[in-house]
Amino acid sequence: MVKVAIVGCNGKMGFFVAESVESNPWTQTIFGVDAFGEKKYDFPVYKSFDEVTEKPDVIIDFSNPAALDGMLGYALKNRVPCVICTTGYSAEQVEQIHKAAESIAIFYSGNMSLGINLLIELAKQAAKVLGDSFDIEIVEKHHNLKVDAPSGTALMLADAISETLEQEPQYVYNRQCYRKKREKNEIGIHSVRGGTIVGEHEVIFAGHDEVVTLTHQAQSKEVFAAGAVNAAVFLASQESGMYHMGNLLSSKI
Ligand SMILES: NC(=O)c1ccc[n+]([C@@H]2O[C@H](COP(=O)([O-])OP(=O)(O)OC[C@H]3O[C@@H](n4cnc5c(N)ncnc54)[C@H](O)[C@@H]3O)[C@@H](O)[C@H]2O)c1
């Protein structure tokens, strides 16, 4: 049984993680940490890591960048692996996460869906074959409450594709700002916002008289929670170091 602690357990994702841990026969939540809010769980919930007395096998974090110091301090002191899913860290905090990975196992990904990470791998393969002759455009769609654009996942896709191209491409977000023909060496990135769309990403490879499109649709936030719990089970037995969805995928492919 893998004993899990959930940071941000009173939030939207924290709730889905608690449900996902409970429905997995190999995992059990032993405590949660959340600075705010209230949700009734069977496990204890602490306001900060200073109050924690138990030691989990792994921490799953869907909270806020402000929680990073307390969590890493506890994890380093007690040698507990961390699955870090929170987004919006500063460059210094990302550096802090990489530094901590020298001593403990850390799984860090801005998108915990297995499907999205497979899409990234497929897009890289397609770019290797088609990248020289096809134009590449990415379209992402999200609900009307999302404030940032483009999505971090659209950028993850663009960065992964860029790695495989011979020439570094230019990302173009606002075509209405330029009255000129598309350059070959571009990746267009477009954002749609509306309704309750959980998250859709489409990579279009447009060639002469043919188009290849790769698409992923997240239909609920539960996919991210399920991915994080899978990652936690994987990470609990790993040595120190930085891990990401690619490691989990290659253990499955
Ligand atoms: N990696 C992924 O696949 C993925 C998917 C969905 C969401 N996220 C990210 O996960 C995070 C949480 O998302 P959410 O939708 O659940 O948000 P949310 O606002 O519903 O929940 C965040 C929780 O963190 C708690 N919190 C805030 N500051 C804290 C602190 N200093 N210490 C402890 N707890 C603190 C809040 O009280 C809240 O309960 C966001 O950064 C979001 O972008 C990542």
Side-chain angles (χ1 to χ4, degrees), residues 154-202:
L155 290 173
M156 272 168 71
L157 275 160
D159 290 347
I161 290 169
S162 301
E163 278 172 26
T164 69
L165 299 177
E166 295 225 329
Q167 235 192 326
E168 197 181 333
Q170 194 195 347
Y171 298 168
V172 177
Y173 306 99
N174 303 308
R175 290 208 184 279
Q176 77 277 11
C177 299
Y178 316 99
R179 256 194 89 70
K180 64 177 184 123
K181 208 161 62 78
R182 187 193 198 285
E183 299 287 335
K184 178 73 209 72
N185 188 33
E186 286 180 3
I187 297 181
I189 304 177
H190 313 280
S191 301
V192 176
R193 294 289 173 264
T196 55
I197 302 170
V198 175
E200 292 183 22
H201 292 86
E202 193 174 70

Side-chain angles (χ1 to χ4, degrees), residues 33-34 39-40 53 64 79 82 105 116 148 155 179 181 189 206 211 213 219 232 236 249:
V33 174
D34 201 306
K39 268 204 178 77
K40 288 273 172 279
T53 49
N64 184 285
R79 309 202 68 76
C82 298
I116 270 289
D148 56 314
L155 290 173
R179 256 194 89 70
K181 208 161 62 78
I189 304 177
V211 176
T213 306
Q219 291 174 340
L249 271 182

Side-chain angles (χ1 to χ4, degrees), residues 7-15 33-37 39 46-48 61-68 84-88 109-113 221 224-225:
V7 184
C9 61
N10 292 341
K12 292 183 282 299
M13 284 308 306
F15 174 73
V33 174
D34 201 306
F36 310 102
K39 268 204 178 77
Y46 303 109
K47 291 276 174 212
S48 89
D61 168 71
F62 278 96
S63 61
N64 184 285
L68 186 68
I84 302 180
C85 313
T86 297
T87 59
S109 172
N111 192 310
M112 296 302 296
S113 139
K221 288 195 166 201
F224 307 118

